[in-house]
Amino acid sequence: MASQPGMLTHWPWESLGPFKYLVLAPWVAHYTYEFVKHPTSDLSTFFIFFAILLRFLHNEVWLSLHRRRTATPANRIVNKPIDAHQLRRESNWDDQIIMSGLLLYGVRTALPGWITDLPFWRTDGVVLTAVLHAGPVEFLYYWLHRALHHHFLYSRYHSHHHSSVVTQPITAVIHPFVETMAYIVLFAVPMVTVAFTGTASVAAIYGYIFYIDFMNNMGHCNFRSPFDYFAYFPLLNLLMYTPTYHSVHHTKLQKNYSLFMPLYDYIYKTMETVKEDHRPAHEQ
């Protein structure tokens, strides 16, 4: 919880506890019935359901990898344990998956032509998604993030996320309700654009969602990569962050604000780099 919780901090289904998944039940039941009734109908609603399941699985895989890698203290970036209070506070990591599922079902129902009969791949849509992410999304996130570190917003919202100095993959999505909604709106920009321009595909929409999940989990995993890919591709230092890079932000709050691309920290003079150590634990 933030130090001074602001308006719209709590999730709408918080009172449901473990029964919160029931909010998805009417949508899943309705579209399953429609498919059984009309087997040749569009499969886009099943992409939504499978995407929800795959996102749950993806996060669980990262959690398992985190526990395995950080069991050896030398592998940790921040060498401190995660306490029971943090584990309880981060147990609602799935709320953002439920919300995004509800929004996708809602868009599918209200605007059925936008995400139906999608091809698996369209190069123009994938390129447009990548350009919009690297430009508007990363730029707007950077300045939103800096605004969230202003004492008024930080004390009411963003301090909830920064209660975790030692991170684990799911720490990435631990935010108050209204803050998460701001991120969802921001990340929707590329997806809405490709849908509106008729260049949408499974790769552009669901691939982008997977990319966000992957980068979020990787950046908060608190263990070093065993591969030094920056030695072969130096420009990646500006295009892709690392767990070590982002851990600086959780220990020095006024540094490394960027979403996934340190380029914006470099441009606005908030970058602080640290030496990456990719050696196996027994050699450190």
Side-chain angles (χ1 to χ4, degrees), residues 55-86:
R55 292 187 70 196
F56 277 113
L57 178 61
H58 183 209
N59 282 275
E60 291 290 354
V61 168
W62 269 104
L63 278 172
S64 298
L65 184 60
H66 162 81
R67 294 185 185 113
R68 180 176 179 179
R69 293 281 295 165
T70 58
T72 303
N75 288 332
R76 301 173 189 167
I77 297 169
V78 179
N79 190 10
K80 295 180 181 178
I82 296 176
D83 60 34
H85 175 71
Q86 179 177 341

Side-chain angles (χ1 to χ4, degrees), residues 89-280:
R89 186 167 49 80
E90 296 186 350
S91 63
N92 68 333
W93 59 268
D94 49 356
D95 283 338
Q96 49 88 29
I97 297 179
I98 295 173
M99 177 55 71
S100 61
L102 288 173
L103 291 173
L104 283 170
Y105 276 124
V107 169
R108 170 65 179 83
T109 302
L111 302 166
W114 273 30
I115 54 173
T116 55
D117 298 317
L118 295 178
F120 180 78
W121 180 272
R122 278 197 59 155
T123 301
D124 50 0
V126 171
V127 171
L128 181 58
T129 299
V131 169
L132 289 173
H133 175 83
V137 172
E138 288 277 351
F139 173 79
L140 291 172
Y141 177 90
Y142 177 87
W143 287 106
L144 171 61
H145 195 179
R146 287 195 67 166
L148 286 167
H149 277 261
H150 182 277
H151 65 86
F152 180 86
L153 293 176
Y154 185 82
S155 62
R156 287 162 175 77
Y157 300 107
H158 200 54
S159 59
H160 180 64
H161 177 70
H162 278 283
S163 297
S164 303
V165 176
V166 184
T167 62
Q168 58 178 334
I170 56 172
T171 302
V173 294
I174 303 302
H175 303 285
F177 169 68
V178 69
E179 186 177 337
T180 300
M181 292 306 298
Y183 297 143
I184 288 176
V185 169
L186 182 58
F187 295 147
V189 169
M191 293 184 282
V192 170
T193 303
V194 295
F196 185 76
T197 57
T199 58
S201 65
V202 172
I205 292 181
Y206 297 102
Y208 183 55
I209 293 172
F210 179 84
Y211 165 76
I212 292 169
D213 283 348
F214 178 87
M215 294 298 288
N216 267 332
N217 283 316
M218 184 269 289
H220 291 79
C221 70
N222 197 37
F223 60 82
R224 299 173 180 84
S225 168
F227 309 109
D228 187 9
Y229 32 80
F230 295 120
Y232 302 97
F233 306 102
L235 281 179
L236 280 179
N237 280 297
L238 295 178
L239 301 178
M240 188 176 80
Y241 76 167
T242 65
T244 305
Y245 183 88
H246 190 68
S247 71
V248 172
H249 180 68
H250 279 260
T251 54
K252 299 180 180 180
L253 301 182
Q254 309 306 317
K255 297 291 184 180
N256 297 4
Y257 291 103
S258 291
L259 177 55
F260 306 139
M261 296 175 61
L263 172 65
Y264 290 90
D265 282 310
Y266 177 78
I267 292 172
Y268 297 112
K269 313 298 184 185
T270 53
M271 173 185 277
E272 180 165 323
T273 58
V274 290
K275 183 175 176 56
E276 300 275 355
D277 190 345
H278 302 280
R279 293 174 298 164

Side-chain angles (χ1 to χ4, degrees), residues 31-43 46:
Y31 284 111
T32 300
Y33 172 76
E34 286 293 315
F35 180 76
V36 171
K37 187 178 179 181
H38 305 288
T40 59
S41 63
D42 174 53
L43 292 175
F46 277 92

